[in-house]
Amino acid sequence: MTLTDAEILRYSRQIILPQVGGAGQERIRKGRVLVVGAGGLGSPALLYLAAAGVGTVGVCDHDVVDSTNLQRQVIHATPDLGRAKVDSAADAVRHLNPGVAVVRHPVRLTASNAPGILTGYDAVVDGTDTFASKFLVNDACVAADVPYVFSGILGFEGQLLTVVPGRGPCYRCFFREPPPPGSVPTCAQAGILGPVAGALGSLQALEVLKLLLGVGELLVGRLVLFDGLSLSFREVGLERDPRCPACGDPEHRRPLADEAAGGCTR
Amino acid sequence: MSAESAAILDITGEVCPMTLVRVRMALDEVGPGGVLRILMAAGEPVASIPRTLKDEGHELLAVERRGDAFSVTVRKRP
Ligand SMILES: [Zn+2]
């Protein structure tokens, strides 16, 4: 189906980019993207993906909106307190762009439900806030052969990595196991400044749009370290580990399993 | 390829940035190496769009005045 005149006008500022054009906008509209966690990272990611006209946006979150969320989780607002985050996020997305179909997954992602939830998505944004969830998103995406964009944030700092199964390392190649509980600060101890989440979540949306468009150089095999205090980005090169339990050679792979809950990364 | 067999796009009724958006959409349709003839208004469109197309590696085949407007014929980058 070709773009309508209203769509051409609405998305004109990105269609005008030679890397997008009408064909790229159609690819964006055909895109199906799952955002796991409608929190600090998921909020800007969801909003920018919806604004860009991604055809189907999934939201997976089991939590409700709490007043302590509102300092950084900009997709939710004060009247949403107490509502399920998937409902609040779905309303915000529809309000922003009624042309986007929203799929709500009001559950915690687990090893048993992840393969079903991931089915049919072209890309995933990891907006989770625990090491256990981050390893699960990684392992589930690698197993399902779905590209995803990792981010973790703490304080003024953030990390970013795009994982395209079969084309580079995964998160587990680098961080083999979650740190033991108690060895890392929780969010309550460490805190987070909203715009740090906003910056990293926006970059996740950018990577997803590049993935859908097939343009540019994805953040594959390069872990970006963001420091908001010095406002600097550093890059660490990574290689796929053939012994990685998630993406390594077949004899080293482990079946998908839940990790014990560790510390907080958001 | 002669201008007769080219796809034709009329953007005389559009203003920036929709002028270039329409050109982008039409270039998507013609495919690599294809020829597109664009009717555009004098002034800003004809001052800017042929230059943009050239900068992006497309080949300008002709720029001709047609009354108050211009006809710009371009061959899409292979
Ligand atoms: Zn791996």
Side-chain angles (χ1 to χ4, degrees), chain A residues 1-11 15 25-26 29, chain B residues 18 22 25:
Chain A
M1 200 176 78
T2 52
L3 301 169
T4 64
D5 276 355
E7 287 175 312
I8 294 166
L9 191 61
R10 180 176 188 119
Y11 303 113
I15 291 175
Q25 189 61 42
E26 287 182 49
R29 190 180 60 181
Chain B
M18 287 307 291
R22 295 287 176 196
M25 306 280 303

Side-chain angles (χ1 to χ4, degrees), chain A residues 138-139 142 163 168-174 176 239-248:
Chain A
N138 178 79
D139 297 355
V142 170
V163 174
C170 78
Y171 179 67
R172 201 182 274 279
C173 288
F174 199 58
R176 186 50 60 86
E239 276 181 21
R240 175 177 163 269
D241 179 355
R243 300 169 64 89
C244 171
C247 77

Side-chain angles (χ1 to χ4, degrees), chain A residues 8 12-13 15-16 18 22-23, chain B residues 17-18 20-22 24-25 28:
Chain A
I8 294 166
S12 57
R13 288 302 169 99
I15 291 175
I16 206 169
Chain B
M18 287 307 291
L20 187 54
V21 168
R22 295 287 176 196
R24 288 253 183 277
M25 306 280 303
D28 281 348

Side-chain angles (χ1 to χ4, degrees), chain A residues 11-251:
Chain A
Y11 303 113
S12 57
R13 288 302 169 99
Q14 63 196 43
I15 291 175
I16 206 169
L17 297 169
Q19 294 86 348
V20 181
Q25 189 61 42
E26 287 182 49
R27 276 198 290 275
I28 292 173
R29 190 180 60 181
K30 269 207 310 231
R32 299 174 53 90
V33 181
L34 174 68
V35 177
V36 184
L41 293 165
S43 291
L46 282 163
L47 291 171
Y48 277 117
L49 293 172
V54 171
T56 303
V57 170
V59 195
C60 181
D61 204 307
H62 67 283
D63 220 346
V64 297
V65 181
D66 175 273
S67 75
T68 64
N69 299 151
L70 299 180
Q71 158 264 8
R72 65 193 179 287
Q73 301 183 11
V74 294
I75 203 167
H76 312 296
T78 308
D80 298 314
L81 288 173
R83 297 182 72 203
K85 284 190 180 176
V86 288
D87 293 338
S88 168
D91 284 354
V93 164
R94 281 191 287 252
H95 187 62
L96 171 61
N97 191 346
V100 175
V102 191
V103 181
R104 292 171 302 150
H105 304 278
V107 292
R108 183 195 293 274
L109 196 74
T110 65
S112 53
N113 68 20
I117 289 175
L118 286 183
T119 302
Y121 287 106
D122 302 315
V124 171
V125 170
D126 172 20
T128 64
D129 60 356
T130 66
F131 281 110
S133 306
K134 297 207 170 291
F135 279 98
L136 177 63
V137 169
N138 178 79
D139 297 355
C141 286
V142 170
D145 201 20
V146 176
Y148 90 97
V149 187
F150 156 83
S151 181
I153 47 176
L154 199 64
F156 284 87
E157 296 176 9
Q159 302 177 341
L160 194 72
L161 174 73
T162 298
V163 174
V164 180
R167 257 190 56 195
C170 78
Y171 179 67
R172 201 182 274 279
C173 288
F174 199 58
F175 304 100
R176 186 50 60 86
E177 303 291 339
S183 69
V184 288
T186 65
C187 278
Q189 289 163 330
I192 175 73
L193 210 55
V196 173
L200 275 289
S202 301
L203 291 175
Q204 288 180 292
L206 173 60
E207 283 290 282
V208 167
L209 292 175
K210 283 163 57 187
L211 255 165
L212 294 178
L213 290 166
V215 303
E217 281 169 54
L218 293 167
L219 195 56
V220 170
R222 301 180 286 139
L223 180 73
V224 159
L225 308 170
F226 169 78
D227 180 348
L229 274 183
S230 59
L231 213 310
S232 58
F233 290 88
R234 264 195 326 126
E235 222 179 88
V236 181
L238 306 175
E239 276 181 21
R240 175 177 163 269
D241 179 355
R243 300 169 64 89
C244 171
C247 77
D249 298 337
E251 65 270 27

